[in-house]
Amino acid sequence: MVILYSHSILCHFVLNEKKLQEVDSLWKEFETPEKANKIVKLKHFEKFQDTAEALAAFTALMEGKINKQLKKVLKKIVKEAHEPLAVADAKLGGVIKEKLNLSCIHSPVVNELMRGIRSQMDGLIPGVEPREMAAMCLGLAVWLHCLGSLLDDLDKELNNYIMRCREWYGWHFPELGKIISDNLTYCKCLQKVGDRKNYASAKLSELLPEEVEAEVKAAAEISMGTEVSEEDICNILHLCTQVIEISEYRTQLYEYLQNRMMAIAPNVTVMVGELVGARLIAHAGSLLNLAKHAASTVQILGAEKALFRALKSRRDTPKYGLIYHASLVGQTSPKHKGKISRMLAAKTVLAIRYDAFGEDSSSAMGVENRAKLEARLRTLEDRGIRKISGTGKALAKTEKYEHKSEVKTYDPSGDSTLPTCSKKRKIEQVDKEDEITEKKAKKAKIKVKVEEEEEEEKVAEEEETSVKKKKKKGKKKHIKEEPLSEEEPCTSTAIAVCLFLIIDVHLEGPVLHISIYFLYQK
């Protein structure tokens, strides 16, 4: 059986099937390089010339294609051997069987063989430098989603454990939680002391400063907490031990993530940090897939639900996704977060492509781009606007805004309708005006008396006319009606009507009075 092992390299191993059948547990045969050489032997080894060639081969495998180099090797070795080919990927085996008509095998035993070959790679492939071997073992694609999700899960578990520990021990010594704010130090103090009665004789100088230690001992003497049993103290101490162990494991895992990210994507790590970079790579699937995304996609990567919800409801689309947790975006004021996240996404895409396709493993480009972003952030925070023309070094001068409030007072001149005079009136003019007003008032009184007398005369006349009409009606009953000739005028029954119209116009100051009287007589 021939084994195809491709992991940033191209090599074939010949498997000794007779010895494999005699082996009960396969992993024991790969404990040492000597035992591994008895099971498998190197048949053909071919190293890629550069990263671009390895990337092209890897891309072809991802798309279900076979490159020319692999075709030549398979036709030359496998067809001559006339043996089945063991492949780690079932899809790759299907493609090889379809295009080259070779029988391929994929089973759990093949996966165990691949693990054993990977563990003893140094002994099975001679003549390769340790630095190149480390680069081959890293590979082009990384699985960092496990590390990111594991760190998030550990943080959640730690928060739950610490909250329960503080709540539980708070019944016995509630003052300690206010004095010691650090969770890990709190658990270490509990693990070392236990019951609050032991704080008086305990030495906490290794964990706490002298002032805090004295404050803890003073609070333990006058504590208002309740007494607890020894069994409760043992359970609390066991919970504290778990918290300390998980915290140490979390620190160790984070250091491993830092080293891993600096080896795979150093420029991305400098730009957005280890954890955010690992989440971006995990969300895209690999560093190669992430390099294919545009800057606008990387900016909102992780906020797909919010994006489609905004497009459906026709609202504003989100400005950031996973990149929001980067340190540059976090230290920006809210009004500049969208602008900084857009610029950071553009520079991060350059760093991703440099790490994925570049041969240099230094982080100089990431440091330079981060310095530019920090300078841009300072200019935004200082509200400085660069001049478009000129040297561009001087800041545009803007005048400071000063609010000028005008206090308006009430103008009483609009209350009166009399004409206002700027000069003071003399005493003689005032006396003359008073005399004129008195004369007008007297005339008005006289006219009122005349009007009253005229009204009384009208009433008397009306009464007289009504009496005469009654007498005439009585006489008409006894007189026979006789036709009148056209020539003779009727003088006895004729009624004369007189109409008088009186108009009185007089002026009182600025007001003009008009009185109209109607007088009639029959």
Side-chain angles (χ1 to χ4, degrees):
M1 183 185 293
V2 181
I3 302 172
L4 173 63
Y5 183 86
S6 178
H7 191 80
S8 300
I9 54 174
L10 185 60
C11 55
H12 295 78
F13 294 94
V14 178
L15 177 65
N16 191 347
E17 296 183 7
K18 294 181 179 179
K19 291 186 178 182
L20 182 63
Q21 292 175 358
E22 298 174 359
V23 176
D24 296 332
S25 55
L26 189 60
W27 61 272
K28 291 182 180 179
E29 295 298 323
F30 285 94
E31 290 180 350
T32 59
E34 291 79 11
K35 290 183 179 181
N37 283 317
K38 294 178 182 179
I39 298 295
V40 293
K41 289 184 179 180
L42 182 65
K43 180 70 176 178
H44 178 77
F45 172 72
E46 189 171 347
K47 187 171 63 173
F48 294 114
Q49 295 180 359
D50 53 5
T51 310
E53 188 178 353
L55 182 62
F58 181 77
T59 307
L61 292 176
M62 291 286 290
E63 295 175 356
K65 300 178 182 179
I66 304 174
N67 61 343
K68 294 180 180 180
Q69 187 179 4
L70 182 59
K71 270 185 183 179
K72 291 180 181 179
V73 173
L74 291 176
K75 286 179 181 179
K76 182 179 179 181
I77 297 173
V78 181
K79 285 188 176 181
E80 291 178 359
H82 300 287
E83 292 182 0
L85 181 66
V87 183
D89 190 5
K91 293 182 180 180
L92 178 61
V95 173
I96 294 173
K97 186 176 182 180
E98 181 183 352
K99 293 187 177 181
L100 300 177
N101 197 15
L102 296 175
S103 61
C104 298
I105 300 172
H106 174 72
S107 64
V109 179
V110 176
N111 292 332
E112 291 293 330
L113 283 172
M114 294 292 179
R115 291 192 188 97
I117 292 170
R118 188 180 297 112
S119 62
Q120 298 297 334
M121 183 70 72
D122 298 338
L124 293 174
I125 304 177
V128 181
E129 296 180 2
R131 183 180 178 184
E132 294 180 355
M133 189 65 68
M136 287 190 296
C137 292
L138 284 176
L140 294 173
V142 293
W143 58 101
L144 294 169
H145 59 280
C146 299
L147 293 177
S149 60
L150 183 57
L151 284 172
D152 295 337
D153 294 340
L154 286 176
D155 289 336
K156 290 179 183 178
E157 292 298 327
L158 275 173
N159 289 332
N160 289 330
Y161 281 14
I162 290 167
M163 182 175 63
R164 299 304 176 193
C165 183
R166 283 178 175 270
E167 182 182 0
W168 200 352
Y169 195 74
W171 291 98
H172 180 58
F173 191 8
E175 293 82 5
L176 185 64
K178 298 179 181 179
I179 298 171
I180 303 174
S181 58
D182 186 40
N183 295 324
L184 189 60
T185 308
Y186 183 87
C187 293
K188 287 181 179 179
C189 287
L190 293 188
Q191 191 180 27
K192 189 173 183 179
V193 179
D195 198 346
R196 75 174 178 220
K197 297 178 181 177
N198 301 329
Y199 278 95
S201 58
K203 294 181 180 180
L204 303 174
S205 57
E206 298 178 358
L207 301 174
L208 301 173
E210 295 180 0
E211 298 176 357
V212 180
E213 183 182 0
E215 188 177 357
V216 169
K217 290 181 179 180
E221 295 178 357
I222 57 172
S223 178
M224 298 177 64
T226 59
E227 297 293 335
V228 293
S229 61
E230 294 182 359
E231 186 178 1
D232 293 333
I233 293 293
C234 291
N235 289 324
I236 293 171
L237 294 179
H238 180 64
L239 183 60
C240 291
T241 305
Q242 289 183 350
V243 170
I244 294 169
E245 290 177 356
I246 294 173
S247 299
E248 292 176 354
Y249 174 63
R250 200 262 180 203
T251 305
Q252 180 184 357
L253 192 65
Y254 187 72
E255 290 177 357
Y256 169 70
L257 178 64
Q258 284 180 332
N259 298 331
R260 186 78 169 171
M261 284 295 297
M262 286 301 295
I264 296 167
N267 294 286
V268 178
T269 306
V270 172
M271 292 298 299
V272 296
E274 300 86 5
L275 195 57
V276 178
R279 286 174 179 171
L280 288 173
I281 295 173
H283 199 278
S286 66
L287 185 64
L288 182 64
N289 291 339
L290 187 61
K292 296 176 182 178
H293 291 320
S296 58
T297 307
V298 173
Q299 181 181 349
I300 59 172
L301 205 65
E304 288 83 3
K305 289 184 179 179
L307 174 64
F308 291 115
R309 193 188 306 119
L311 292 175
K312 188 176 180 180
S313 59
R314 295 183 180 180
R315 295 181 179 177
D316 294 336
T317 55
K319 296 179 181 178
Y320 27 69
L322 291 171
I323 207 169
Y324 178 80
H325 301 286
S327 59
L328 280 173
V329 181
Q331 65 188 5
T332 312
S333 58
K335 63 179 180 179
H336 297 311
K337 283 186 184 294
K339 189 176 292 186
I340 288 296
S341 62
R342 185 175 67 251
M343 292 187 291
L344 180 61
K347 296 296 183 183
T348 304
V349 167
L350 294 177
I352 292 167
R353 291 170 184 171
Y354 188 84
D355 291 333
F357 306 122
E359 297 181 1
D360 190 8
S361 60
S362 65
S363 59
M365 192 197 75
V367 173
E368 183 181 356
N369 289 335
R370 187 179 177 88
K372 290 180 181 178
L373 286 176
E374 289 176 351
R376 176 62 178 162
L377 177 60
R378 284 194 296 270
T379 57
L380 288 175
E381 294 295 335
D382 296 339
R383 297 178 182 178
I385 305 170
R386 295 283 180 181
K387 288 184 177 180
I388 298 174
S389 61
T391 58
K393 296 180 180 180
L395 294 173
K397 296 180 179 179
T398 56
E399 295 181 357
K400 187 178 179 181
Y401 175 75
E402 294 182 359
H403 179 68
K404 298 178 181 179
S405 60
E406 296 180 0
V407 180
K408 295 183 178 181
T409 57
Y410 179 71
D411 187 11
S413 62
D415 294 346
S416 177
T417 57
L418 295 173
T420 56
C421 299
S422 60
K423 297 180 180 180
K424 294 183 180 180
R425 292 182 293 181
K426 297 180 180 180
I427 299 173
E428 295 178 356
Q429 294 178 353
V430 176
D431 295 339
K432 289 179 180 180
E433 290 178 358
D434 294 339
E435 291 177 359
I436 292 169
T437 52
E438 288 177 359
K439 289 179 180 180
K440 289 180 178 179
K442 289 179 181 180
K443 289 180 180 180
K445 290 179 181 180
I446 294 168
K447 288 181 180 179
V448 171
K449 290 180 180 179
V450 172
E451 290 174 0
E452 291 177 355
E453 291 176 357
E454 290 176 353
E455 288 178 358
E456 290 177 358
E457 291 178 358
K458 288 179 184 179
V459 174
E461 289 177 356
E462 288 177 358
E463 291 178 355
E464 291 177 0
T465 52
S466 61
V467 172
K468 289 179 180 179
K469 286 181 181 180
K470 289 179 181 179
K471 289 180 180 181
K472 288 180 180 180
K473 287 180 182 179
K475 291 178 180 180
K476 285 181 181 179
K477 291 179 182 179
H478 300 285
I479 299 171
K480 294 181 180 180
E481 294 181 355
E482 294 181 357
L484 299 173
S485 60
E486 295 177 0
E487 298 177 355
E488 295 177 354
C490 185
T491 56
S492 61
T493 59
I495 299 172
V497 179
C498 299
L499 180 63
F500 299 94
L501 178 63
I502 301 171
I503 300 174
D504 182 20
V505 180
H506 63 277
L507 181 67
E508 289 185 4
V511 182
L512 182 66
H513 293 273
I514 300 174
S515 302
I516 301 173
Y517 303 97
F518 295 94
L519 299 177
Y520 64 92
Q521 185 177 4
K522 294 182 181 180

